Amino acid sequence: PVATFDELRKLAIAALALPDMKADSVWVRPPTDLGGYWKPPVPDPTYQRMAFAHQQGAVRIHRAGTGPDDCGEIARLPGLGNEVDLRWSADGRYLAVLHRYIHRLQVWRTDGDQLALALDLPKGAVGVGFEFTPDGRELIAVAGIPASVSTVGA
């Protein structure tokens, strides 16, 4: 009924007008190398860094800044020739990269501007999905259907 849709619209508008919400802005300069398609950035939980994934699997991490002069590239992760999915841990210390078509999962430790490979699960180890636990201390990886679920401590 129309009355139900009107009520839902009013509730949605009220939810968007929450008094504890405030607008903020950060600058991010997207990568320009490799040509082709760069996906929209995936922000870390602190909004200090943004990870960009290329259609060929390369990943670029850029600093989020206040303007175009302080938002440059921090690090480059090598691509393995296929698309990737990205997830940040809850504290932003780890970036997990799933190389989608070869089912290979890499977890990178991000200390400031330095990156180090913390975990490299071989080809075929993860197939369906992955996610950090809410506290960011473990990574859950699903290998297939029927599901084979593994957890890895961070």
Side-chain angles (χ1 to χ4, degrees):
V2 174
T4 302
F5 289 118
D6 289 341
E7 181 63 23
L8 289 174
R9 185 175 59 242
K10 289 177 190 174
L11 290 173
I13 292 170
L16 294 174
L18 297 173
D20 60 342
M21 302 286 284
K22 64 176 187 167
D24 195 6
S25 64
V26 295
W27 281 77
V28 175
R29 179 173 291 153
T32 57
D33 61 329
L34 298 181
Y37 176 71
W38 286 94
K39 292 182 181 180
V42 177
D44 79 350
T46 66
Y47 292 98
Q48 294 177 5
R49 295 168 297 184
M50 304 282 177
F52 292 87
H54 189 268
Q55 65 186 6
Q56 295 172 344
V59 176
R60 303 289 185 261
I61 300 176
H62 286 215
R63 184 175 295 105
T66 58
D69 296 330
D70 66 349
C71 59
E73 183 178 284
I74 296 172
R76 293 177 175 219
L77 303 179
L80 298 178
N82 60 70
E83 291 191 35
V84 297
D85 293 322
L86 305 173
R87 303 278 191 289
W88 289 97
S89 63
D91 59 7
R93 292 185 325 148
Y94 295 95
L95 176 65
V97 180
L98 175 63
H99 299 272
R100 193 180 305 160
Y101 300 116
I102 61 171
H103 309 291
R104 181 176 174 183
L105 181 68
Q106 296 179 316
V107 179
W108 296 84
R109 183 180 178 96
T110 60
D111 289 324
D113 291 354
Q114 301 297 315
L115 270 73
L117 186 61
L119 176 69
D120 191 1
L121 293 178
K123 182 178 177 179
V126 177
V128 177
F130 68 106
E131 194 66 60
F132 282 99
T133 56
D135 63 6
R137 297 179 62 196
E138 292 183 310
L139 181 71
I140 299 170
V142 181
I145 297 178
S148 171
V149 178
S150 302
T151 60
V152 177

